[in-house]
Amino acid sequence: MPQYTKAKALLESLKSVPDYRVDIGKIEYPLHEVLFMVIFALLKGNTRFKDIWGWMLYNRNNPILMEIFQTDEIKVPANSTLHEILTNTDNNALEKVFREYFSPFACKEEIAVDGKWLKGSDASGQYVQSCHKAILNLLDKKSKIVFAHKFMHKDKENEITALRQVLDEEDLFSDEGQIFSFDALQTQAETLNRIDQKHGRYIAKVKGNQKELQEKIIQTIETFEQPIDTYVQEEARLSCGKKYVKREVALFYTPSAHQVMYHKRFKNIQALVRITKTLTDPKSKEASSYTEYYMANFKTTAGDFLEKILAHWRVETYHYHLDMLFDEDGHIAYKEPFSISILRSFALNLFQLFHNTNKNKKVLPTGKTTMAEIKRTCRHDDRFTANLFEQESSRLSNV
């Protein structure tokens, strides 16, 4: 039976990324092999360019890599050359390979959208004119993997236009009514109306910096004698700064009408959600509360709205793993950080898919299937690492 068929398929797909180097016929280390080895090195726990290069250098005769590459000799570039290769890789071509590889794993029914600074893109101000770079991540809430990125070259305010550009990419979405969630920065009339026009759905957070919109929501809610539906969630464990959390959800919509609130800029507002969050100190018993408001262009239950809103924060967990497992914030990528960022997402997605399938099983040497233990197992087991590429793309996995 052939080994590592999916790894070999990925290697073949990486050949579509054009090589910027001029004398292609003289290249001793093909770009697709370099990119694949970087993903493998990241899976093994090597996060800095120097560490990635060192791992590649000492694994030129790795039998598993030689099997995947179908060669008896692997050439490794110099450290400085590796850095140059990665900072000159065609990000859009690499992103296309990424999207095609992970698309079968993503349901795309509920999508969390959030931007992330790539802090190492302007270390100590060496590239002041270039500014920090940022990347917009689109996460599939069910599989908990990022299935697409959008690159932002200036500052985080570009996150608004980046999402609008992504919404115009027909290959990412369909007319089946995906539900988008994002933080209040994206609660813009043009963005929400575009989602609605494309038959998508949204849950949009409204904060105090959108004073007029928030006041209109509060005034509309006050016209109701009581909510259409309510839901209370009390967490038994400590969270949010080691405090007990209670969330009281109140849902408002008009059963006899399509819209619950008219707004001259925002179209088709069907439901309003008020969430009162109470934090209680376990020792002093002191409690503090604050209220959040959301609007949506569809109707469901209060409990379902809360579940969808809380699931949005899986994208923040993803960002946390990028920093804790791959040291993304500490990685110095200078002026072109996007290619290494895509490759980190490759590695993290493979970790997450394995965790989705095995989180309640004792399949690792330590008996625990956590993200950190998956990384630790990769560090000590090349065959386990290679098999992460062979995971099935069934969307029915228990996640």
Side-chain angles (χ1 to χ4, degrees):
M1 180 178 179
Q3 280 190 309
Y4 310 123
T5 55
K6 293 184 179 178
K8 292 174 182 176
L10 173 59
L11 184 69
E12 189 66 25
S13 297
L14 289 170
K15 290 182 180 179
S16 66
V17 181
D19 199 319
Y20 75 97
R21 292 169 287 184
V22 178
D23 296 325
I24 300 297
K26 297 181 180 180
I27 292 174
E28 297 183 19
Y29 21 88
L31 178 61
H32 63 285
E33 292 185 4
V34 172
L35 294 174
F36 187 93
M37 288 188 77
V38 171
I39 299 173
F40 211 98
L42 287 166
L43 290 168
K44 299 285 290 181
N46 303 282
T47 59
R48 298 180 301 170
F49 280 134
K50 186 175 181 180
D51 296 332
I52 292 169
W53 174 77
W55 181 88
M56 293 170 65
L57 187 65
Y58 283 100
N59 281 271
R60 288 175 294 180
N61 299 316
N62 187 303
I64 292 178
L65 290 177
M66 293 171 72
E67 165 66 21
I68 293 171
F69 292 177
Q70 294 289 280
T71 184
D72 55 4
E73 183 181 21
I74 298 175
K75 297 287 185 69
V76 175
N79 186 16
S80 58
T81 305
L82 174 64
H83 193 155
E84 185 178 353
I85 289 172
L86 291 177
T87 54
N88 285 281
T89 295
D90 186 326
N91 303 312
N92 293 320
L94 183 58
E95 171 69 7
K96 183 179 179 181
V97 174
F98 176 89
R99 292 184 184 186
E100 289 174 351
Y101 186 87
F102 288 107
S103 180
F105 294 94
C107 301
K108 301 178 188 176
E109 295 172 358
E110 295 187 39
I111 300 168
V113 181
D114 195 30
K116 187 179 189 299
W117 286 104
L118 300 177
K119 293 183 179 180
S121 61
D122 185 23
S124 303
Q126 288 103 320
Y127 293 86
V128 176
Q129 292 183 351
S130 297
C131 298
H132 277 93
K133 308 296 192 299
I135 193 165
L136 188 72
N137 290 322
L138 282 75
L139 178 132
D140 176 62
K141 291 183 183 180
K142 184 174 182 181
S143 62
K144 305 176 190 176
I145 64 169
V146 162
F147 63 90
H149 312 89
K150 191 70 177 178
F151 312 123
M152 296 177 280
H153 292 272
K154 294 183 179 179
D155 53 46
K156 198 170 182 179
E157 291 184 0
N158 273 353
E159 190 173 327
I160 297 170
T161 54
L163 176 57
R164 292 173 187 169
Q165 292 168 4
V166 167
L167 291 172
D168 289 334
E169 298 186 39
E170 300 296 337
D171 61 315
L172 285 179
F173 312 111
S174 66
D175 293 332
E176 297 176 0
Q178 290 99 340
I179 302 174
F180 293 85
S181 65
F182 26 70
D183 58 25
L185 176 68
Q186 295 286 7
T187 304
Q188 307 287 328
E190 183 179 340
T191 302
L192 301 192
N193 293 342
R194 189 174 299 187
I195 292 173
D196 188 69
Q197 290 167 3
K198 289 178 171 291
H199 308 288
R201 294 180 286 174
Y202 62 78
I203 303 174
K205 189 174 185 178
V206 181
K207 299 178 80 171
N209 58 351
Q210 297 159 306
K211 188 175 180 181
E212 179 185 349
L213 179 60
Q214 189 181 74
E215 287 179 350
K216 187 171 180 63
I217 289 174
I218 294 172
Q219 291 171 2
T220 303
I221 286 175
E222 288 175 347
T223 64
F224 285 78
E225 293 184 5
Q226 61 183 14
I228 296 295
D229 189 23
T230 60
Y231 180 79
V232 178
Q233 179 202 64
E234 292 191 66
E235 295 184 0
R237 60 184 178 84
L238 297 176
S239 60
C240 295
K242 297 183 179 180
K243 294 182 179 181
Y244 290 111
V245 180
K246 178 180 180 181
R247 294 181 179 88
E248 299 174 87
V249 185
L251 173 62
F252 304 87
Y253 62 79
T254 308
S256 58
H258 193 58
Q259 296 188 38
V260 67
M261 183 180 80
Y262 170 79
H263 196 281
K264 61 182 179 181
R265 293 188 296 115
F266 294 91
K267 309 300 181 184
N268 194 27
I269 303 173
Q270 295 190 29
L272 302 175
V273 183
R274 182 183 67 206
I275 300 179
T276 304
K277 186 176 180 179
T278 303
L279 304 177
T280 303
D281 188 288
K283 295 181 179 178
S284 66
K285 305 302 181 184
E286 291 183 3
S288 59
S289 299
Y290 62 92
T291 303
E292 297 176 338
Y293 296 93
Y294 296 82
M295 60 186 191
N297 66 337
F298 67 99
K299 301 172 184 176
T300 185
T301 65
D304 191 42
F305 266 123
L306 179 62
E307 180 181 345
K308 296 181 187 308
I309 290 168
L310 294 180
H312 170 77
W313 299 109
R314 289 174 181 172
V315 69
E316 295 294 349
T317 301
Y318 193 90
H319 292 169
Y320 171 82
H321 285 145
L322 283 172
D323 293 332
M324 297 305 294
L325 298 176
F326 298 101
D327 195 25
E328 182 166 83
D329 275 354
H331 182 89
I332 306 303
Y334 297 111
K335 58 182 179 180
E336 285 298 334
F338 295 127
S339 63
I340 189 66
S341 183
I342 296 169
L343 297 174
R344 276 194 290 264
S345 289
F346 253 108
L348 182 52
N349 277 355
L350 293 174
F351 281 175
Q352 185 65 63
L353 291 172
F354 184 86
H355 184 268
N356 292 345
T357 305
N358 298 284
K359 65 178 180 179
N360 295 319
K361 303 173 185 176
K362 294 183 178 180
V363 295
L364 301 180
T366 58
K368 300 177 182 178
T369 305
T370 64
M371 298 291 275
E373 290 302 323
I374 295 170
K375 177 183 175 181
R376 187 173 290 111
T377 304
C378 281
R379 179 177 290 278
H380 299 289
D381 190 338
D382 287 350
R383 191 167 298 279
F384 174 83
T385 306
N387 282 329
L388 290 180
F389 293 96
E390 305 305 306
Q391 297 179 86
E392 295 296 327
S393 60
S394 172
R395 292 179 177 146
L396 300 177
S397 298
N398 178 25
V399 299

